[in-house]
Amino acid sequence: MVIRRVTAPRIDFGALRRELGLPETFPDAAQREADAAAAAPPRPSVDRTDIPFVTVDPPTSRDLDQAMHLGRRPGGGFRVRYAIADVTAHVRPGGALEAETWRRGQTVYLPDGNVPLHPHTLSEGAASLLPDVDRVAVVWTVDLDADGDMVDVRLERALVRSRAKLDYAGVQADADAGRLPEPIALLPEIGTLLTARALSRGAINLPLPEQDVEADGDGWRLVLRGPAPMEEHNAQISLLTGMAAADLMLAGRIGLLRTMPPPKPEAVERLRAAAAPLGVHWPDGAGPGEVIAALDPTRPRTAAFVDQAAELMRGAAYTAFDGELPEQPAHGGVAAAYAHVTAPLRRLVDRYATEVCLALHEGREVPDWVRAALPKLPETMAATDRTAGAATRGAIELAEAVLLEHRVGETFDAAVLDVDVPPDGRARPGRPLGGTVALDDPPVRARCVGELPLGERVRVRLVRADPTARQVVFEHP
């Protein structure tokens, strides 16, 4: 759902690309390997092209990692089939392409074009689960009972064929009209069930609006979107698969998990203390995830509460293990053990975690090239996560500064999302007290100096908008 959008003039993201050292092309040897793999795609012995898979992605996406088919399980419950692009079938271990994917780590998304993990001949071509073409995939089949508990998990390399490329807006419209296509007709039912189970075990999902920069003719538009229900349901299928993968790896005592410490009790208490002043009801016995799930994040005071809740979600990392199980294997946001296996076209780690799961499920040794990679992946992914995060933040900050460059001195309506609370209550030298505000129009989040009432609406004045520094600053008298 689009909440707000504002058009900005032409913006050059080249300086940001250079600053982050993002590559412009693939090395010749890596590109040749990708082209050769695309020209001679493998054909696994298992054929699942009779299953009418569909993909659900943003409308302009062509790097399609996942396709799903949802059905009833004989005897009751549900059968979730999730086909994941089989990138290993196209990337030779020890080759130039594999080496280049290690240098990149993941796809970096920028408004003027992505910096892909794999060459487009694979990521948007032969390895992508595009509609109406045969593709090799790793198919997860997860059986759930009527309560949503996993009762069986199977995976296999297989040939698949997607029937349609669906997008979130269209799927949401179909759901609202009661006309979802058969392969995902059960998505609202299964997604709601899985969400309820997640909340009951203590999972936390922050419904933060997504800010993005999109092309708009000769210029750009700054867009703020809230998560649509069908996006949340779709995410539950990916989380389900990631939890199934983690269970497999923990049982086999080898793998790579996405981990995060559980929320610290003192952080939960601070959030609980912030609830009443912000008008948020916290029922007795409810966990933070249940409280957050009941909120409307479009209201300023609840948006401020959700922003405060982000403090609960700290310390995410990748944890590799081989033999000895990790001391802390769970992901605090998921409230369960969880692994990344559903986006191998866009994220390096998923390829290796998937190979571990395939080997364990088939009762064979994990390949040496996979085992050797596991302890190296956490550092590689941490570095590329920082780069991808800097690219996203930098693009938005640049668009905000360009959009507001000629409006310095104007005043705007805003909601106060966060405030500085130094230990001694006094401003630090060179950094006056302030916080973060979210403007109503244009949809900008930025620093504001002054005494700010958390969760309240205020008028703020723009005092700085510098595209070179990618900085926007407001003040509140």
Side-chain angles (χ1 to χ4, degrees):
M1 175 180 62
V2 175
I3 299 177
R4 294 189 293 274
R5 66 175 66 206
V6 174
T7 299
R10 290 180 178 272
I11 302 175
D12 180 10
F13 296 94
L16 180 59
R17 288 173 174 270
R18 292 188 293 272
E19 177 185 318
L20 296 175
L22 299 176
E24 296 182 3
T25 60
F26 281 84
D28 290 344
Q31 185 67 56
R32 284 196 299 270
E33 282 190 20
D35 293 345
R43 290 190 69 87
S45 58
V46 178
D47 189 322
R48 300 294 182 213
T49 55
D50 61 314
I51 299 172
F53 286 105
V54 297
T55 61
V56 185
D57 289 274
T60 59
S61 295
R62 288 187 56 82
D63 51 347
L64 310 182
D65 290 287
Q66 311 119 7
M68 76 174 74
H69 180 273
L70 309 174
R72 301 283 182 184
R73 185 170 69 97
F78 307 94
R79 175 158 292 167
V80 175
R81 291 187 176 99
Y82 211 34
I84 308 300
D86 187 359
V87 177
T88 299
H90 301 276
V91 180
R92 176 172 59 85
L97 179 55
E98 184 192 42
E100 181 62 17
T101 61
W102 274 79
R103 281 188 285 272
R104 295 179 178 231
Q106 64 182 279
T107 296
V108 176
Y109 292 92
L110 285 168
D112 61 346
N114 302 334
V115 183
L117 176 60
H118 303 91
H120 287 138
T121 49
L122 292 180
S123 63
E124 298 185 358
S128 178
L129 302 182
L130 297 166
D132 302 321
V133 289
D134 290 350
R135 290 290 187 258
V136 60
V138 175
V139 178
W140 292 78
T141 301
V142 182
D143 283 347
L144 307 173
D145 64 17
D147 296 322
D149 192 31
M150 281 189 281
V151 295
D152 189 40
V153 176
R154 303 179 299 283
L155 62 159
E156 60 187 354
R157 279 197 160 92
L159 199 67
V160 301
R161 175 180 282 252
S162 170
R163 301 301 197 271
K165 178 183 182 297
L166 308 178
D167 63 79
Y168 292 121
V171 167
Q172 186 63 57
D174 286 344
D176 294 341
R179 57 168 187 261
L180 281 171
E182 183 272 332
I184 57 170
L186 292 174
L187 185 55
E189 184 177 352
I190 296 175
T192 300
L193 179 62
L194 294 177
T195 297
R197 288 181 60 85
L199 292 175
S200 69
R201 65 175 184 264
I204 300 173
N205 178 43
L206 299 181
L208 295 170
E210 179 182 350
Q211 196 175 15
D212 203 359
V213 182
E214 298 178 348
D216 184 22
D218 291 336
W220 302 89
R221 57 175 176 250
L222 191 62
V223 179
L224 191 66
R225 293 186 179 89
M230 293 303 291
E231 289 185 66
E232 297 295 325
H233 297 329
N234 189 57
Q236 287 298 325
I237 303 301
S238 181
L239 287 170
L240 174 71
T241 308
M243 289 188 290
D247 289 347
L248 263 174
M249 291 189 279
L250 288 168
R253 306 184 74 85
I254 180 172
L256 187 66
L257 304 176
R258 184 61 167 167
T259 58
M260 189 176 74
K264 294 181 179 180
E266 56 268 30
V268 175
E269 286 308 308
R270 284 196 298 270
L271 184 65
R272 188 188 299 270
L278 291 172
V280 172
H281 177 56
W282 193 309
D284 291 340
E290 295 170 296
V291 174
I292 294 166
L295 300 178
D296 175 6
T298 63
R299 296 176 56 221
R301 301 187 82 191
T302 53
F305 181 81
V306 171
D307 197 78
Q308 301 299 301
E311 290 298 318
L312 305 179
M313 312 285 279
R314 303 295 185 193
Y318 290 96
T319 301
F321 60 100
D322 189 349
E324 184 175 348
L325 296 179
E327 290 184 14
Q328 203 295 102
H331 188 289
V334 181
Y338 167 68
H340 277 163
V341 293
T342 61
L345 286 174
R346 294 169 280 172
R347 199 167 47 209
L348 177 69
V349 64
D350 299 49
R351 185 196 322 163
Y352 294 87
T354 295
E355 291 306 309
V356 173
C357 291
L358 281 165
L360 293 173
H361 182 71
E362 295 168 4
R364 55 181 173 84
E365 288 293 318
V366 173
D368 290 341
W369 62 272
V370 176
R371 190 183 294 267
L374 294 180
K376 305 173 188 176
L377 280 164
E379 182 177 352
T380 295
M381 294 308 300
T384 192
D385 279 345
R386 289 192 293 270
T387 299
T392 299
R393 290 192 305 274
I396 291 171
E397 290 165 355
L398 177 57
E400 291 177 334
V402 171
L403 180 68
L404 294 170
E405 183 178 9
H406 302 294
R407 302 185 68 179
V408 172
E410 293 186 31
T411 58
F412 301 83
D413 290 318
V416 180
L417 296 185
D418 193 19
V419 296
D420 299 336
V421 185
D424 57 3
R426 293 182 296 180
R428 297 187 297 276
R431 184 178 173 87
L433 283 178
T436 302
V437 296
L439 270 62
D440 295 335
D441 184 16
V444 168
R445 286 176 55 131
R447 177 150 184 87
C448 181
V449 296
E451 294 188 16
L452 297 169
L454 182 64
E456 300 297 330
R457 299 188 62 79
V458 295
R459 291 286 288 177
V460 297
R461 187 171 71 91
L462 179 63
V463 295
R464 178 177 170 85
D466 184 347
T468 302
R470 299 196 297 273
Q471 187 179 55
V472 172
V473 180
F474 295 88
E475 69 175 8
H476 175 59

